[in-house]
Amino acid sequence: MPSREEILAFIAESGGKAGKREVARAFGISGSARIKLKHILKELMDEGLIKKGQGKKLAEPGTLPPVTVIDITGRNPDGELIAQPHQWEEEEDAPKILVAPPRQKDRHYGATVGVGDRAVARMVPLEDGEEYAYEARIIRRIGKAAETVLGIIREHEQGARLIPVDKKLRIEFDISSRQLGDAREGDLVLAESLPGPRHGLKRAKVKEVFGNAEDQKSISLIAIHAHGIPDEFPEAVIAEAEKAKHATLGEREDLRKIPFITIDPPDARDHDDAVFAAPDDDPKNEGGHIVYVAIADVAAYVRPGSVLDREARKRGNSTYFPDRVVPMLPERISNDLCSLVEGKDRACMAVRMVFDKNGKKIAHRFTRGLLRSVAKLSYQEYQRAVDGHADGKTEALLDDVIMPLWNAYQTMAKARDQRGPLDLDLPEYKVELTETGKVKAIRQAERVEAMRLIEECMIQANVSAAETLEEKRVPLVYRIHDAPSQEKIFALAEFLKSMEISLPKGQRMMPAQFNKILHQAKQGDFIHLVSDMVLRSQSQAVYDPANIGHFGLNLRRYAHFTSPIRRYADLIVHRALVTALRAGKDGLTDDEIKELEVIAEHISFTERRSMLAERETTDRYVASFLQTKVGGDFEGRISGVSRFGLFIRLRDTGADGIVPISHLEGDYFHHDETRQALIGERTHKAYRIGENVRVRLLDAVPVTGGLLFEMLEGGTTMKPAKGVGARTRPGGRGSPKAAKHRRAAGKARKGPQKRR
């Protein structure tokens, strides 16, 4: 009987062509010995060392059979086609495939394929390929890769129609009774397109049913599946998380005598950061403070290359919805091992920072430690204690913990104000749900100064992380934010001109200049609108191993360090610190360093994906809440102007909807892009961005989050600028086209006219 290692080597060399029979023949195994071979092969499969491939053949995990069906998914930066296996059921990510270009003289390089095609291909392993595991040599193209669509089922006698939830897809799909499965009228489903006739409706079949779309519990599922956010952990990931054990003191620094506290929103489920501050007793730093920020040591539990790590990297970050959280890490990690629970020992990565009397950071030091939080407070509890309304819990902490931290923040705020980061004042709205998942209310989120305290502590810790890694010359992923482009500055200047606020064009902008504009806007009644427009003018913050600084925070170097439970970027920085401090064997690996650019690009994408999904979900919840108020009147403000209508933001809920230009009666309207207005040609009635209006809600569609309004009150008088604007409304009572039809109708009523 061959050893396990010999069997594994033979299977690996066979390239997916060997089954149990081939193994037995290769090693001369016959008779009753085949039973023992069968047991060995089963053990190897149970341990994940081999897998069953096509036709009961055996192969190494993560490998593809010699001939595989692939989907062409896109092109790499060099313009080469890339693909993925059509079917892949293993826990680890599918191997990356590079598609070889066709060659006329080689029958193994067959049909020409393009992005979106499905093909049968011969797989050639790339032994020295750093990024791609296989080269695919196309045998034949077998059609287009199936398109998946999320939509609502509408039944009829012959089957059903699928109405996509994506507003951009203006088509419906036909689903036969046979392809409907368990789906019923009104269900939210994931469907797959089918080949069909060139003309008429596209065909589809139901793959998965998520429940009735009218159920508000389905609202976040729409965004999860529409954006492809992984929301279920593979069993192997859960198993690895459950095996993890609490870290002990060992070589860690014992920080348990320091009275750390956590300060979070009242509904927070995990607590990954704790803080403490005290006056500096060094006579050379009179009036200065020592501030500790301790972060859960996620790197101790999520090791590079593990199944936990691969899943966290794939997700990139946690995604937060009103009714649920799609976490980056399983609950065993995020809500237990790495949650700084009150009164429990927890592993941490901490930074001790020293600030002078002017709030300038003069020193910092990182350490891997063990802490024990003395209290879990909400922002509101902490703020009430500072404001002189301590309760039984906070009273005991007031003198030694709460006030020293507040005093340190007051000092740190001096340096922050001197630095002058971008100071936007944008209201946030919170969707409140009942226990059954229905929308109870939509309120503007309460803001207290304690939130800015924690924010400033975290910013300083993030800066310290970047500085330490630069000093130690360890690669990292920065959080970068570029300055606004000249095009966006010019557009903002044109908008502000309509508000009688000047913004010099052509010069290099700094955050302080934006803050000056925001201060001017506070004198009027449009601070939120100007804040929104200033925000739109900014670049998108991203992750990158190359540093260009952070414009919005006005910082030369910045890295996310303070939330490794919910952001993979922070986990990378933690590992880099472990390497820099030589504080363990679970630091940044050479393979990770080589891939930092790819990792940064991926987690920037997952962050944008989550933000979009969260925003769309809030819109759908708001539309669901307002559905019962269709026909009601609302106060709002014009938040945007376009050629096809006015965007309205409601005052009480922050909900966004549209008044189509076809609903503006009594004139023919021009779009004045410079002045951000729609202006009537005959009456000169104008609707300008920023104006208060009163509207009536005509329709609310929870599935898409769309709100439709009609104008009741609002508008001013304004002459159109000479030569500005295009005729944007072909209908309407005041349009030339409408006048022509009225004249024709009048002639018809009068009968034939004599020629003169």
Side-chain angles (χ1 to χ4, degrees), residues 155-336:
E155 288 186 300
H156 55 75
E157 290 182 5
Q158 288 76 37
R161 293 280 174 86
L162 179 75
I163 315 298
V165 299
D166 187 348
K167 289 181 277 189
K168 296 174 186 175
L169 288 177
R170 299 182 180 180
I171 58 172
E172 296 179 4
F173 292 80
D174 184 51
I175 300 181
S176 67
S177 300
R178 188 167 55 86
Q179 303 289 9
L180 194 57
D182 297 329
R184 293 295 175 262
E185 171 68 25
D187 278 350
L188 174 69
V189 303
L190 186 67
E192 184 177 77
S193 63
L194 295 172
R198 292 186 178 182
H199 305 290
L201 290 177
K202 288 187 174 183
R203 297 168 54 236
K205 68 175 180 180
V206 173
K207 289 183 65 181
E208 195 170 352
V209 181
F210 302 119
N212 194 283
E214 297 298 321
D215 185 351
Q216 291 185 350
K217 291 181 180 178
S218 299
I219 288 177
S220 55
L221 285 175
I222 293 174
I224 288 169
H225 292 284
H227 293 280
I229 297 172
D231 65 329
E232 290 187 9
F233 287 106
E235 289 183 11
V237 174
I238 297 292
E240 185 172 296
E242 292 299 326
K243 287 179 185 176
K245 304 231 184 307
H246 282 284
T248 55
L249 182 61
E251 296 182 2
R252 295 175 177 274
E253 184 175 346
D254 194 343
L255 305 175
R256 288 174 290 184
K257 291 183 180 179
I258 298 175
F260 282 101
I261 58 172
T262 61
I263 309 175
D264 293 291
D267 56 353
R269 296 176 61 197
D270 50 62
H271 312 275
D272 60 347
D273 58 79
V275 290
F276 172 75
D280 191 357
D281 56 8
D282 186 345
K284 295 179 182 178
N285 189 30
E286 188 176 350
H289 297 269
I290 295 172
V291 177
Y292 279 89
V293 173
I295 308 298
D297 192 354
V298 178
Y301 304 101
V302 183
R303 304 298 179 93
S306 64
V307 291
L308 262 173
D309 179 51
R310 290 199 297 271
E311 183 67 18
R313 178 172 165 179
K314 181 170 75 174
R315 294 179 178 224
N317 49 265
S318 299
T319 308
Y320 295 84
F321 300 108
D323 66 328
R324 72 187 74 201
V325 176
V326 179
M328 185 179 81
L329 295 165
E331 278 196 20
R332 169 65 172 159
I333 304 293
S334 59
N335 288 14
D336 183 9

Side-chain angles (χ1 to χ4, degrees), residues 602-620:
H602 171 69
I603 59 181
S604 295
F605 159 74
T606 60
E607 179 187 50
R608 289 192 298 272
R609 178 180 67 180
S610 292
M611 288 170 63
L612 187 58
E614 290 165 358
R615 186 165 64 243
E616 288 177 359
T617 300
T618 299
D619 289 345
R620 290 185 175 110

Side-chain angles (χ1 to χ4, degrees), residues 81-103:
L81 290 170
I82 55 176
Q84 64 184 24
H86 172 56
Q87 290 186 323
W88 185 259
E89 298 178 356
E90 296 187 35
E91 301 294 353
E92 62 264 24
D93 293 340
K96 293 183 178 181
I97 303 168
L98 188 67
V99 180
R103 294 179 185 173

